[in-house]
Amino acid sequence: MENRVYNLNAGPAILPEEVLKEAQEQLFALPGVGMSVLEISHRSKAFDAILADAKNGVKQLLDISDDYHILFLQGGASLQFSMVPLNLIPPKNKADYIITGVWSKKALKEAKRVGTVNIAASTEAENFKRIPKQDELKLDTDAAYVHYTSNNTIYGTEWHSEPEVGNVPLVCDASSDIFHKKINMNKYGMIYAGAQKNIGPSGVVLAILRKDLLERSQDSLHTMLNYKTHAENDSLYNTPNVFGIYIIALVTKYLLKNGGLDAMYKTNLAKAGLIYEAIDGSGGFYKGHADKDSRSLMNITWRLPSEELEKKFTDEATKAQFIGLKGHRSVGGIRASVYNAFPLKGAEALVQFMNEFKSKNG
Amino acid sequence: MENRVYNLNAGPAILPEEVLKEAQEQLFALPGVGMSVLEISHRSKAFDAILADAKNGVKQLLDISDDYHILFLQGGASLQFSMVPLNLIPPKNKADYIITGVWSKKALKEAKRVGTVNIAASTEAENFKRIPKQDELKLDTDAAYVHYTSNNTIYGTEWHSEPEVGNVPLVCDASSDIFHKKINMNKYGMIYAGAQKNIGPSGVVLAILRKDLLERSQDSLHTMLNYKTHAENDSLYNTPNVFGIYIIALVTKYLLKNGGLDAMYKTNLAKAGLIYEAIDGSGGFYKGHADKDSRSLMNITWRLPSEELEKKFTDEATKAQFIGLKGHRSVGGIRASVYNAFPLKGAEALVQFMNEFKSKNG
């Protein structure tokens, strides 16, 4: 078995070792089935059980009522950027978008192809270093929905509570922080999330959709782009990403066994807390990009005094087995992505590395 | 390690054991990377190499020239049913479809949402038991493209050579028989194929597209539905199905190592030959659904004298570890799917089972 590194990638990202081991053990032949999970029919009893496990896992973790469909689709959050407006904008034909980063902007771009879009708020002028405050939101009470991005991987910002949007359905791209803590699903019309951070591998997108919103989906939509197709066929209209859903079943089982989302949140607070402490206690050597009250628990972004030092930092970090720390080009500097599966001891080791690096170069 | 059964599923389907073993060995951590393939970034060097391997594997197996893009997309062939007309119908706004089964009809349904569709031929009146002959095709020389389905899983029919369509680009859904033999790619404008039969696991669709056809894709298309998006970003506009592409890299490597598609074709002829021989030599006990000159090498369909005997056949077959033999409800009876990875010894064992069953029940 190969040694594993500290995986701080923004996504696809680290998964629980226990899940990887279980998947590895079963990869040649699922117990009692005699075929690999890569070979089973999506219409088989074996897959029925896997799909039920994945759905129930999501349902239990987020305490989702029967008012919602839980769907596993393909095409990532990027295809949801189109499917959301195509399905949910009619008949009002207008929606509110809150812009907190590149991903919000990509969602906005596709929505504009479908209907009228109101930018309820944007922090782009400040390079997305913060989440807008409630009183900054210019909401249209007649909008079809309000769309926002709960966590912004590139900038390291995160909404700490949902925007208040009254009776307008709230639609959230939670790709990069779903499952990081408990939420009240009843506040949402829809949540969607690419799996490749806290849920599972890439190639599946989770969509949780309030059932009454399906009424908006027009029959004129292309079959695969219509939420009704997938809801009415329990994600089995066509062959889904069987392996991806299998890993989601294992990940949700693992999360439930390990204390659920409250336990995750506690560890996430501890992990991010250590790293933010190292930044704040560095006497200005490390400088956080995000405003303190907008800081993300999943992606921590900071700069060093110079780009040369930033390069030295990531080079030495890579040698020390911390992988994926280079910041996105639109922010620069360093980004540490510490999703659910990233261990506390990894955060401790990173902080030790940060402190030593500062001592030698500060 | 679990015992494995004879997997005769129509798809997702059997994969080479060697591929499964290699994937299993590496699942916890890719050699030299220290992360699982489920955790690596799609922007990493490790994935660059995997994607290059998968592309080169496809390119070599089908001897594809540089005139074509090789793309790995999501949403299965079902999403291609929409993407093909959305991208390729303009500006002519009309296309020819040859209808040989349920999947052709599904492709047709989405094309009708986009433009005018001419049904060049259909064998539906004969329950799709044969492929139309060249002189039956009513082709429009001014069509944007001609679409056909090379193999029809449900009916067990297959085109043994491409329809002749002159200068009109030929677009083929080859989901269920790609890689089963060599083809002349230059005859095609585009081939697409869900991976879950001869290519890899479900959740990836291979699209091979002649580069000049990209000119047709309009900027008004939703970003994820535009072939230009994926071609210009080498399948990495958004996070692809990393694991799926990894398995494709392993499968294509395996095929190349084992004699390429000529060797596959030889074995496929032998496997299907044995089973068709058992049908034809059964004195009418087994009766093939497909016309002899339209028979598929991938999916072999036949009936027994009664539905009771058909049920008994599949029940006893299941006990004997032959899994997935129940025919599709629109044909009934038995279907044996013997894709590339299904072993010759499996076909021999099935024939022995068929002969014994006939002796006892004929």
Side-chain angles (χ1 to χ4, degrees):
Chain A
M1 192 162 283
E2 282 260 330
N3 277 336
R4 282 168 53 86
V5 297
Y6 288 117
N7 180 350
L8 293 133
N9 281 327
I14 186 167
L15 289 170
E17 291 199 353
E18 199 175 310
V19 165
L20 295 173
K21 281 180 187 159
E22 190 171 353
Q24 181 172 42
E25 206 174 291
Q26 302 184 341
L27 195 72
F28 191 69
L30 277 176
V33 177
M35 301 179 197
S36 170
V37 66
L38 305 181
E39 304 173 303
I40 59 171
S41 168
H42 59 300
R43 311 278 181 207
S44 64
K45 279 181 191 161
F47 186 66
D48 286 346
I50 288 168
L51 180 60
D53 282 351
K55 277 175 66 177
N56 289 335
V58 172
K59 197 175 161 85
Q60 281 184 60
L61 283 170
L62 294 177
D63 194 17
I64 301 172
S65 81
D66 289 336
D67 293 340
Y68 292 82
H69 287 292
I70 298 171
L71 307 174
F72 300 104
L73 309 176
Q74 295 185 55
S78 294
L79 189 57
Q80 294 309 304
F81 296 163
S82 291
M83 286 177 71
V84 164
L86 284 168
N87 283 271
L88 303 185
I89 273 196
K92 297 202 172 192
N93 203 32
K94 57 180 183 173
D96 283 356
Y97 275 69
I98 305 174
I99 307 302
T100 54
V102 160
W103 299 104
S104 309
K105 283 175 77 177
K106 289 192 177 193
L108 172 73
K109 184 182 171 190
E110 306 308 319
K112 280 181 174 171
R113 300 183 194 276
V114 181
T116 304
V117 182
N118 167 47
I119 296 179
S122 170
T123 53
E124 185 164 19
E126 298 156 78
N127 198 16
F128 298 122
K129 72 188 176 93
R130 67 179 184 89
I131 299 297
K133 296 190 183 8
Q134 181 65 34
D135 62 14
E136 291 176 85
L137 305 181
K138 297 199 179 72
L139 297 166
D140 175 356
T141 54
D142 193 40
Y145 59 86
V146 181
H147 181 280
Y148 82 111
T149 315
S150 55
N151 182 74
N152 303 280
T153 46
I154 294 175
Y155 317 92
T157 64
E158 189 175 23
W159 293 75
H160 296 141
S161 60
E162 296 85 356
E164 297 292 336
V165 295
N167 290 322
V168 175
L170 185 62
V171 176
C172 177
D173 174 1
S175 295
S176 53
D177 71 348
I178 193 164
F179 292 170
H180 92 291
K181 68 172 181 186
K182 267 195 185 156
I183 52 165
N184 179 357
M185 189 67 214
N186 295 321
K187 290 189 176 180
Y188 297 85
M190 180 180 180
I191 290 180
Y192 63 91
Q196 65 270 16
K197 274 98 173 185
N198 278 338
I199 312 179
S202 63
V204 198
V205 56
L206 169 65
I208 309 164
L209 179 66
R210 217 173 62 209
K211 289 177 179 172
D212 65 289
L213 295 176
L214 277 185
E215 289 165 19
R216 302 183 182 189
S217 300
Q218 310 288 304
D219 290 341
S220 57
L221 286 172
H222 282 264
T223 306
M224 282 292 289
L225 301 179
N226 192 326
Y227 288 134
K228 263 190 203 158
T229 303
H230 303 292
E232 287 169 0
N233 291 283
D234 196 17
S235 303
L236 291 174
Y237 170 74
N238 71 329
T239 317
N241 181 340
V242 167
F243 180 76
I245 294 170
Y246 162 75
I247 297 291
I248 294 174
L250 297 187
V251 168
T252 53
K253 185 177 78 172
Y254 167 86
L255 290 174
L256 287 165
K257 206 178 81 179
N258 287 278
L261 301 190
D262 281 338
M264 279 303 122
Y265 187 47
K266 203 175 147 192
T267 312
N268 286 330
L269 282 170
K271 289 179 323 197
L274 284 173
I275 299 168
Y276 282 123
E277 223 173 87
I279 292 170
D280 295 338
S282 73
F285 182 73
Y286 298 121
K287 206 173 158 219
H289 172 74
D291 280 4
K292 284 193 183 178
D293 59 2
S294 296
R295 280 175 167 177
S296 166
L297 293 184
M298 300 284 99
N299 313 96
I300 301 167
T301 53
W302 71 92
R303 304 295 310 251
L304 270 69
S306 70
E307 286 186 10
E308 289 66 36
L309 274 172
E310 286 167 348
K311 189 176 180 313
K312 195 175 177 195
F313 182 93
T314 50
D315 286 352
E316 292 188 10
T318 302
K319 276 182 208 141
Q321 306 283 61
F322 299 101
I323 307 298
L325 282 169
K326 192 170 185 298
H328 189 275
R329 63 183 180 282
S330 50
V331 168
I334 313 297
R335 170 174 57 183
S337 297
V338 288
Y339 297 112
N340 278 355
F342 192 81
L344 183 61
K345 73 171 167 39
E348 288 163 351
L350 177 62
V351 163
Q352 194 186 333
F353 174 84
M354 288 169 73
N355 290 337
E356 285 168 11
F357 187 88
K358 192 200 128 201
S359 298
K360 279 184 272 176
N361 300 279
Chain B
M1 195 163 279
E2 283 259 331
N3 278 337
R4 282 168 53 85
V5 297
Y6 289 117
N7 180 351
L8 293 134
N9 281 327
I14 187 166
L15 289 170
E17 291 199 355
E18 196 175 312
V19 165
L20 294 174
K21 281 181 186 158
E22 190 170 354
Q24 181 173 43
E25 204 174 293
Q26 301 184 342
L27 195 71
F28 191 69
L30 279 174
V33 176
M35 300 179 199
S36 170
V37 67
L38 305 181
E39 304 172 303
I40 58 171
S41 169
H42 59 300
R43 311 279 179 204
S44 65
K45 279 180 191 163
F47 186 66
D48 286 347
I50 289 168
L51 180 61
D53 283 351
K55 277 174 65 176
N56 289 335
V58 172
K59 197 176 161 85
Q60 281 184 61
L61 284 170
L62 294 177
D63 193 17
I64 303 172
S65 80
D66 289 336
D67 293 339
Y68 292 82
H69 288 292
I70 298 171
L71 306 175
F72 300 104
L73 309 177
Q74 296 185 54
S78 294
L79 188 57
Q80 293 310 303
F81 296 164
S82 292
M83 285 178 71
V84 164
L86 285 168
N87 283 272
L88 303 185
I89 273 196
K92 297 202 171 191
N93 202 32
K94 58 180 182 171
D96 283 356
Y97 276 68
I98 306 174
I99 308 301
T100 54
V102 161
W103 299 105
S104 309
K105 284 175 76 177
K106 289 193 177 194
L108 173 72
K109 184 181 171 191
E110 306 307 320
K112 281 181 173 170
R113 299 183 194 277
V114 182
T116 303
V117 182
N118 166 47
I119 297 180
S122 171
T123 53
E124 185 163 20
E126 298 157 79
N127 198 16
F128 298 122
K129 71 187 176 93
R130 66 178 186 89
I131 297 297
K133 296 189 182 11
Q134 181 66 33
D135 61 15
E136 292 176 83
L137 305 181
K138 298 197 178 71
L139 297 167
D140 175 356
T141 54
D142 193 41
Y145 58 87
V146 181
H147 182 280
Y148 82 113
T149 315
S150 56
N151 182 73
N152 302 281
T153 47
I154 294 175
Y155 316 92
T157 64
E158 188 174 23
W159 293 75
H160 296 141
S161 60
E162 296 84 357
E164 297 292 337
V165 296
N167 290 323
V168 175
L170 185 63
V171 176
C172 177
D173 174 1
S175 294
S176 54
D177 72 348
I178 191 163
F179 292 170
H180 91 291
K181 70 172 180 185
K182 268 196 185 156
I183 53 166
N184 179 357
M185 189 67 216
N186 295 321
K187 291 189 175 180
Y188 297 84
M190 179 178 180
I191 290 180
Y192 64 91
Q196 65 270 16
K197 276 99 171 180
N198 277 339
I199 312 180
S202 64
V204 199
V205 55
L206 169 65
I208 308 164
L209 179 67
R210 216 174 61 210
K211 289 177 179 172
D212 64 290
L213 295 175
L214 277 186
E215 289 165 19
R216 302 183 182 190
S217 301
Q218 310 289 303
D219 291 341
S220 57
L221 287 172
H222 281 263
T223 305
M224 282 292 288
L225 302 178
N226 192 326
Y227 288 135
K228 262 189 204 161
T229 302
H230 303 290
E232 288 171 358
N233 291 283
D234 196 17
S235 301
L236 291 174
Y237 170 73
N238 71 329
T239 317
N241 181 340
V242 167
F243 181 77
I245 295 170
Y246 162 75
I247 297 291
I248 293 173
L250 297 187
V251 168
T252 53
K253 186 179 76 175
Y254 167 87
L255 291 173
L256 288 165
K257 206 179 80 179
N258 286 279
L261 301 190
D262 282 339
M264 279 303 121
Y265 186 48
K266 203 174 148 193
T267 312
N268 287 329
L269 282 170
K271 289 180 323 196
L274 284 174
I275 300 168
Y276 283 123
E277 223 172 86
I279 292 170
D280 295 339
S282 72
F285 182 73
Y286 298 120
K287 206 172 160 223
H289 172 74
D291 280 4
K292 284 192 183 178
D293 60 1
S294 296
R295 281 176 166 176
S296 167
L297 293 185
M298 300 284 100
N299 313 95
I300 301 166
T301 52
W302 71 92
R303 304 296 310 252
L304 270 69
S306 70
E307 286 188 10
E308 289 66 36
L309 274 172
E310 285 167 349
K311 189 176 179 314
K312 195 176 177 195
F313 182 94
T314 49
D315 286 351
E316 291 187 11
T318 302
K319 275 181 208 142
Q321 306 283 60
F322 299 101
I323 307 299
L325 281 169
K326 191 170 186 299
H328 189 275
R329 65 184 178 282
S330 51
V331 169
I334 313 296
R335 169 174 57 183
S337 297
V338 289
Y339 296 112
N340 278 356
F342 192 81
L344 183 61
K345 73 171 167 39
E348 289 163 352
L350 177 63
V351 163
Q352 194 186 332
F353 174 84
M354 289 170 71
N355 290 338
E356 285 168 12
F357 187 88
K358 192 200 128 201
S359 299
K360 279 183 274 177
N361 300 278

